Amino acid sequence: MDGGVGGHLMEVVVPLVRRRSEPSRVPYQGRIEPRRTRHGLGGPWLYLKLRTARRTQDDLVRGRLGELVEAAASAGAERWFFIRYTEGGEHWLRVRFGGPPDILWSAVAPAVGAVLAEWERNGVVAGHLVDQYDPEVERYGGPAVQAAAERLFQEDSTATVRLLRMLRDADAVSLDREEAAAVSLASLAHAFGPPAPGQSWVAEFADDPAAAWLSVTGTHREVPDRYRADREAWRALLDPVGGWPGLRSRLGGESLLEALAERDAAAAEYGTLLRDAAARGEGATPQARVAGSLMHMTCNRLFGGDSDRERDLLGIVRAAVHDNRKRRRYTR
């Protein structure tokens, strides 16, 4: 404490009295909500965690993941998707395969196990674990639309592999990864479709789904320096409502849109199911939350969990899409 003649020390003594010698109930161990199901051994999903090196993770996704997916599909897997994850300084690919449980565990598991054993011998991955898959149904609209969500996860995973392969060939595509990722985000938001009627902010964005969903990712003041430095180029590149004229004029632009086509079709189907559920008063998750989660996972698959990079990229896409929308509104 400070006083008139300098500093003083003060002691504060707080007595602590134990009221019970034993806890009054068993420590909480967690429980599964009634609507949620964790898929473990013998279930309809095989969930693998592949331990990787950060510097080689792109090469694994681009060049080797297809081998694992093909082995699983040949053995009878019907669905798959992946995400990247960092935990305790270690880098992982989380890969999930879905299908009939009897086939999944009698045929698919040995098939992918053989591939992983070879990868581990050759140093492609450092190891793998099997875990339970706990679908985030509350994040993606509820159990009724979970299958459609997982189909979109698969198509986004496939699109990511295609994009990373394309970007390795500078003679085939003139876009860098940030530009390709920005196109993917704008295309996804556009394909997801308009917000369901009855929401207070729908009328403003009914003509531009991408502008609607990107508006919830930040404000118009949050504009990255990279966008300010090349505003016209970004506007030309990111124009889904206008039919992508700038992108189509770039080397590889048409191929990029083709690589995203099946993903966007799955997003459109999923968005329709969510709007229908909302119209019936059965929407389990706000559409804006779902859209934000989808865009976040697209970033995750393309470059991992770099939150600063994701924020800047979303800022670029948001600014370009909104600027194009303003241009259309005031130049009619």
Side-chain angles (χ1 to χ4, degrees), residues 207-269:
D207 61 332
D208 193 336
W213 304 124
L214 286 160
S215 70
V216 304
T217 66
T219 72
H220 67 279
R221 295 183 180 89
E222 298 174 281
V223 180
D225 291 339
R226 185 175 179 184
Y227 181 79
R228 298 180 190 276
D230 209 357
R231 186 183 301 264
E232 290 305 318
W234 285 112
R235 287 174 177 172
L237 180 68
L238 302 172
D239 189 10
V241 172
W244 303 101
L247 173 62
R248 294 181 190 278
S249 69
R250 297 278 296 272
L251 177 65
E254 291 283 0
S255 297
L256 179 57
L257 291 175
E258 290 173 4
L260 296 172
E262 292 183 21
R263 192 278 310 271
D264 289 350
E269 177 185 352

Side-chain angles (χ1 to χ4, degrees), residues 106-127:
S106 66
V108 176
V112 299
V115 174
L116 291 176
E118 180 183 355
W119 285 6
E120 290 174 15
R121 285 194 297 271
N122 295 330
V124 177
V125 297

Side-chain angles (χ1 to χ4, degrees), residues 64-96:
R64 304 300 294 267
L65 186 57
E67 178 186 351
L68 192 68
V69 173
E70 183 177 349
S74 297
E78 298 175 349
R79 303 177 299 281
W80 80 282
F81 63 93
F82 84 93
I83 61 174
R84 305 184 195 227
Y85 194 75
T86 301
E87 184 176 39
E90 294 183 332
H91 301 276
W92 302 81
L93 278 187
R94 295 180 169 185
V95 186
R96 290 154 184 164

Side-chain angles (χ1 to χ4, degrees), residues 10-200:
M10 179 180 69
E11 289 187 359
V12 177
V13 179
V14 180
L16 301 176
V17 179
R18 175 177 289 183
R19 296 183 177 181
R20 296 178 184 270
S21 60
E22 298 294 337
S24 59
R25 59 187 174 89
V26 177
Y28 178 71
Q29 297 296 324
R31 63 183 179 85
I32 301 176
E33 295 180 11
R35 295 193 306 163
R36 294 182 66 161
T37 301
R38 289 179 182 166
H39 304 296
L41 294 175
W45 285 92
L46 168 59
Y47 174 14
L48 298 170
K49 295 180 178 180
L50 313 184
R51 188 152 59 91
T52 69
R54 182 177 183 177
R55 62 184 177 81
T56 61
Q57 199 172 76
D58 279 350
D59 289 334
L60 177 60
V61 172
R62 176 173 40 231
R64 304 300 294 267
L65 186 57
E67 178 186 351
L68 192 68
V69 173
E70 183 177 349
S74 297
E78 298 175 349
R79 303 177 299 281
W80 80 282
F81 63 93
F82 84 93
I83 61 174
R84 305 184 195 227
Y85 194 75
T86 301
E87 184 176 39
E90 294 183 332
H91 301 276
W92 302 81
L93 278 187
R94 295 180 169 185
V95 186
R96 290 154 184 164
F97 296 107
D102 55 335
I103 296 175
L104 202 61
W105 297 96
S106 66
V108 176
V112 299
V115 174
L116 291 176
E118 180 183 355
W119 285 6
E120 290 174 15
R121 285 194 297 271
N122 295 330
V124 177
V125 297
H128 73 276
L129 302 173
V130 178
D131 206 344
Q132 289 179 302
Y133 170 37
D134 185 3
E136 296 178 287
V137 292
E138 74 287 347
R139 185 178 182 181
Y140 291 104
V145 296
Q146 186 65 21
E150 287 165 347
R151 182 195 165 212
L152 176 52
F153 301 163
Q154 173 172 322
E155 296 300 344
D156 193 49
S157 297
T158 301
T160 297
V161 174
R162 290 172 177 162
L163 262 59
L164 292 179
R165 288 174 178 172
M166 289 176 59
L167 293 171
R168 283 295 292 261
D169 188 355
D171 294 329
V173 60
S174 63
L175 286 77
D176 62 25
R177 186 185 295 203
E178 300 301 307
E179 292 171 319
V183 168
S184 181
L185 288 171
S187 188
L188 174 65
H190 181 69
F192 193 57
Q199 301 181 60
S200 60

Side-chain angles (χ1 to χ4, degrees), residues 207 325 327-332:
D207 61 332
R325 181 170 176 270
R327 187 195 68 241
R328 285 191 297 272
R329 292 180 68 188
Y330 298 118
T331 57
R332 291 174 179 172

